[in-house]
Every structure is written in structure tokens, then in C-alpha cells.
């Protein structure tokens, strides 16, 4: 029995990030690599991006998500320090559709989104697992497992 809801959050977070990774699939259909963790507060995720940002040709790029700030783009440092955030997606809540995140990522790689430097502050979502599952269920991308999130609705 999961009295804290961590298992359902972990399952739906994995399904949501998987759907975003599928929306970011490379030309050959390979989804982006990712990791996520719902055992901490705030829950968070990291997706490795295929590409470089204009002005940072020697830096790896990643999408970062947490339930407090939503999605943001970051570049890796060479010294192992924290990632450098370069832009945030913003919006009205931290769980946008995977397709919207993919559009943000592509615009970021084109250099169009490097102006949104202030992180949004979203209120804590007591229904985070439901919102994650809803975003997965509505996603229009292939290559991810909708069933793990759909069972929790």
C-alpha cells in the first residue's frame, strides 16, 4: 500500500517524461534519453537533447523539468557544476503537453527561446499524478507506454 502516493507519481512521471522523449525523437525514431525521480521534492526529470544551442557549440543541451518551475532548457558545464539554465517554457501549469515541450525544445535549439530566464513559480499540485496521466493520455506521439499512466486515471 502506497499511502504517500509516491508510486503513482513515479509511474505517471515516467510515462509523461517518456512521452516527451518520444515527442523529441531523433530522425531515426530513437527517443531522447532521460531520467526522472519522484522520490524527492520537487519531483524532477532530465532529458538529454540531440543538438547544440547557437552560441554554445561545445556544450551539451538538456531539458530539465520539476513540478515547481516546469520545463527549462539548460547547457552542461565542463567542470561538473550545476547545469546553466538558459530559458524556461512558462505557461499556466508545470505539465504542458509533450508536443508543446517538443516545440519549445526545437525553438530553443534554433536560438529563439533564449530570452525567458526567470523561472516560473507554480503552486504545488496535489493532483500531480492525475495531471501527468492526463497529459500522457492526450499525447499525440508514438513510442511511449500510455498504459502505465492510463491505468491510474
Amino acid at each position: 500500500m502506497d499511502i504517500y502516493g509516491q508510486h503513482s507519481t513515479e509511474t505517471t512521471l515516467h510515462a509523461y517524461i517518456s512521452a516527451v522523449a518520444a515527442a523529441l525523437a531523433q530522425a531515426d525514431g530513437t527517443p531522447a534519453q532521460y531520467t526522472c525521480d519522484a522520490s524527492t521534492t520537487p519531483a524532477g526529470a532530465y532529458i538529454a537533447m540531440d543538438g547544440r544551442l547557437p552560441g554554445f557549440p561545445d556544450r551539451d543541451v538538456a531539458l530539465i523539468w520539476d513540478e515547481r518551475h516546469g520545463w527549462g532548457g539548460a547547457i552542461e558545464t565542463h567542470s561538473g557544476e550545476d547545469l546553466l539554465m538558459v530559458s524556461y517554457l512558462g505557461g499556466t501549469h508545470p505539465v504542458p503537453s509533450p508536443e508543446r515541450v517538443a516545440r519549445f525544445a526545437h525553438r530553443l535549439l534554433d536560438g529563439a527561446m533564449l530570452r525567458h530566464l526567470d523561472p516560473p513559480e507554480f503552486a504545488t499540485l496535489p493532483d500531480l499524478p492525475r495531471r501527468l496521466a492526463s497529459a500522457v493520455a492526450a499525447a499525440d506521439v508514438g513510442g511511449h507506454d500510455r498504459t502505465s499512466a492510463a491505468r491510474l486515471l
Side-chain angles (χ1 to χ4, degrees):
M1 181 169 169
D2 181 18
I3 62 172
Y4 299 107
Q6 178 181 339
H7 177 71
S8 63
T9 302
E10 187 75 38
T11 301
T12 55
L13 178 60
H14 175 76
Y16 175 64
I17 302 304
S18 177
V20 172
L24 293 167
Q26 299 172 11
D28 66 1
T30 305
Q33 294 183 350
Y34 69 91
T35 185
C36 54
D37 185 5
S39 67
T40 61
T41 302
Y46 171 101
I47 299 179
M49 298 279 298
D50 186 34
R52 300 284 192 259
L53 295 182
F56 300 97
D58 60 337
R59 305 280 178 128
D60 289 333
V61 182
L63 286 179
I64 306 297
W65 178 87
D66 73 43
E67 61 186 302
R68 189 174 321 160
H69 302 298
W71 286 99
I75 54 174
E76 302 274 356
T77 65
H78 294 294
S79 61
E81 295 175 3
D82 288 342
L83 299 170
L84 301 173
M85 299 304 294
V86 296
S87 188
Y88 288 91
L89 176 57
T92 58
H93 61 85
V95 188
S97 71
E99 298 84 5
R100 183 166 180 233
V101 178
R103 285 191 304 272
F104 165 72
H106 294 299
R107 291 185 66 207
L108 187 69
L109 290 174
D110 289 341
M113 296 291 293
L114 299 177
R115 296 181 290 289
H116 306 281
L117 299 177
D118 295 322
E121 289 288 335
F122 296 113
T124 301
L125 296 174
D127 63 341
L128 181 61
R130 184 190 63 75
R131 290 210 187 195
L132 292 166
S134 293
V136 172
D140 187 27
V141 294
H144 69 280
D145 180 14
R146 290 178 190 239
T147 58
S148 61
R151 281 194 299 260
L152 298 170
L153 288 175

